[in-house]
């Protein structure tokens, strides 16, 4: 993973390979998903969402997503390195830990999400903020699954075309 | 099936935090469902499967 944290390079809402593939195979979706990911970072604290985006990338072993310039807000190099050990690291606030815990449940088994998981968020976020957070999380999770899926399915076809 | 509210009910003072994101998500989902590469029945099956997986009953 090439990221060192605190980068200021220009970033786009979508991963570049996903943007290119969608523009080619589903241009009508490319426009609306780009707009949606522009809105994600205005929904809630962008650093909080960036931590969740990075955690999703590590859970899905998506090194490309982890390494690309932060589309919303950067996090410190120290947090970047410690993202996988957030439950025991002193670098993460209780609010960040609650959101990262929910993120792990959401990515690993969204159907198994419990009221206790939701209550963990409500201890730090208002009801309206929880709605915004989960909507943003859905968008971030879908983005990475879609990028990985298309990369896996289409890459070999594109090489031989 | 019992469907219990996960979040407190909205009050008269409640204001959505990110209405633009909710609208953008709706526009994205609409565009996906309108895609023509997959037949409508299979598209609907996928949509329903996703809804069940996400416990979305709306």
């Amino acid at each position: 993973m090439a990221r060192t944290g605190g980068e200021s390079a220009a970033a786009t809402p979508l991963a570049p390979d996903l943007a290119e593939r969608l523009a080619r195979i589903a241009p009508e979706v490319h426009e609306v998903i780009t707009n949606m990911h522009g809105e994600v970072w205005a929904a809630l604290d962008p650093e909080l969402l960036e931590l969740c985006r990075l955690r999703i990338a590590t859970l899905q072993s998506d090194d490309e997503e982890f390494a690309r310039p932060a589309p919303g807000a950067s996090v410190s190099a120290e947090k970047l390195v410690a993202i996988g050990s957030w439950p025991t690291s002193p670098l993460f606030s209780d609010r960040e830990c609650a959101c990262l815990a929910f993120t792990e449940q959401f990515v690993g088994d969204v159907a198994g999400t419990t009221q206790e998981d939701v209550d963990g968020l409500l201890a730090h976020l208002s009801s309206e903020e929880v709605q915004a957070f989960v909507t943003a999380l859905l968008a971030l999770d879908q983005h990475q699954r879609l990028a990985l899926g298309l990369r896996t399915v289409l890459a070999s076809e594109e090489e031989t075309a | 099936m019992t469907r219990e509210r996960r979040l407190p009910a909205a009050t008269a003072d409640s204001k959505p935090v990110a209405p633009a994101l909710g609208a953008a998500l709706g526009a994205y989902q609409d565009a996906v469902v309108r895609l023509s590469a997959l037949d409508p029945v299979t598209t609907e099956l996928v949509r329903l499967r996703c809804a069940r997986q996400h416990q979305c009953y709306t």
Side-chain angles (χ1 to χ4, degrees):
Chain A
M1 294 179 182
R3 285 278 303 276
T4 55
E7 295 170 353
S8 58
T12 55
L14 302 185
D17 66 328
L18 177 62
E20 186 279 323
R21 289 189 173 101
L22 283 180
R24 181 161 40 85
I25 65 176
E28 58 274 61
V29 172
H30 175 264
E31 183 178 342
V32 289
I33 195 174
T34 301
N35 179 51
M36 178 174 72
H37 279 272
E39 296 294 346
V40 161
W41 303 102
L44 209 61
D45 175 0
E47 184 178 340
L48 184 67
L49 294 175
E50 174 66 0
L51 286 173
C52 297
R53 185 187 72 84
L54 292 168
R55 187 62 186 133
I56 296 170
T58 58
L59 289 170
Q60 297 185 341
S61 301
D62 189 344
D63 291 348
E64 288 189 37
E65 179 67 22
F66 192 89
R68 78 181 177 102
S74 297
V75 301
S76 70
E78 291 77 16
K79 280 186 175 177
L80 202 63
V81 171
I83 189 81
S85 55
W86 64 265
T88 55
S89 170
L91 294 173
F92 299 91
S93 68
D94 290 346
R95 180 172 178 256
E96 289 170 338
C97 287
C99 290
L100 286 166
F102 192 90
T103 298
E104 293 194 351
Q105 177 64 43
F106 191 95
V107 172
D109 179 19
V110 67
T113 305
T114 65
Q115 185 62 49
E116 186 179 8
D117 297 321
V118 177
D119 289 344
L121 292 178
L122 286 168
H124 302 279
L125 303 173
S126 71
S127 178
E128 293 79 12
E129 287 173 330
V130 169
Q131 274 194 313
F133 173 71
V134 175
T135 305
L137 200 57
L138 173 69
L140 293 172
D141 185 47
Q142 280 189 346
H143 170 282
Q144 294 192 33
R145 290 178 192 273
L146 187 58
L148 269 175
L150 291 182
R151 200 177 297 150
T152 304
V153 171
L154 296 181
S156 59
E157 290 182 15
E158 292 165 350
E159 285 175 8
T160 55
Chain B
M1 179 183 297
T2 303
R3 300 169 190 165
E4 295 180 353
R5 179 177 289 278
R6 291 284 179 91
L7 293 173
T11 66
D13 298 330
S14 299
K15 289 183 180 176
V17 169
L21 175 59
L25 176 64
Y28 163 66
Q29 292 173 331
D30 288 349
V32 169
V33 170
R34 283 196 299 266
L35 287 172
S36 58
L38 202 60
D39 69 271
V41 173
T42 306
T43 299
E44 180 63 3
L45 285 174
V46 172
R47 189 188 72 80
L48 290 170
R49 176 69 182 122
C50 291
R52 176 172 288 272
Q53 185 72 4
H54 284 265
Q55 302 173 19
C56 180
Y57 306 105
T58 56

